[in-house]
Amino acid sequence: NYFVKLNSFPSDHAVIFFALSLAIYSKRARLGMAAFAWSLVVICLPRVYFGYHYPSDILAGAALGVAIMAIFIYTPTPAFVTRSLDWVATRSPGFQQAVLFLIAVESAVNYDHVREVLGAFGLAG
């Protein structure tokens, strides 16, 4: 049953959209503020209105999304990581693109496939 897997806290939608809003804000502040407003008014408030989430779910999701994205944006990447990623990109661009594609797909489905595989080994619920 689809609804058995659902959990409202924190809101996945709030995490994703507020994280993306901060990424936009870090490059273009005015556009980022519009993205934050859009995330709140168009994405999150209807989810509260229709009963998918409590306001606390939205607040926690927004805080989590902003915190995670802030870590990725404002924490410097060590030089050896940058060199390693450049080496992989130069040596095997197809592999790099495949990994990025898998990350994008799994992000879109909230890592359900990863959860299923880990669940098969008793590592996830």
Side-chain angles (χ1 to χ4, degrees), residues 44-114:
C44 294
L45 289 182
R47 299 193 67 75
V48 172
Y49 180 80
F50 289 115
Y52 293 119
H53 292 291
Y54 294 105
S56 59
D57 302 339
I58 300 298
L59 290 173
L64 185 60
V66 167
I68 290 170
M69 187 57 75
I71 290 168
F72 278 101
I73 291 173
Y74 300 114
T75 302
T77 305
F80 77 91
V81 172
T82 305
R83 282 193 308 272
S84 299
L85 292 174
D86 286 344
W87 182 83
V88 170
T90 303
R91 203 106 163 137
S92 181
F95 177 75
Q96 179 195 28
Q97 295 301 316
V99 169
L100 291 173
F101 175 77
L102 288 174
I103 291 169
V105 167
E106 290 302 324
S107 295
V109 296
N110 288 321
Y111 296 91
D112 283 341
H113 302 115
V114 174

Side-chain angles (χ1 to χ4, degrees), residues 7-31:
N7 183 359
S8 70
F9 186 84
S11 168
D12 294 339
H13 286 80
V15 171
I16 291 168
F17 283 94
F18 277 89
L20 290 173
S21 296
L22 181 61
I24 294 168
Y25 181 84
S26 72
K27 297 297 180 189
R28 300 188 64 172
R30 289 182 63 186
L31 188 59

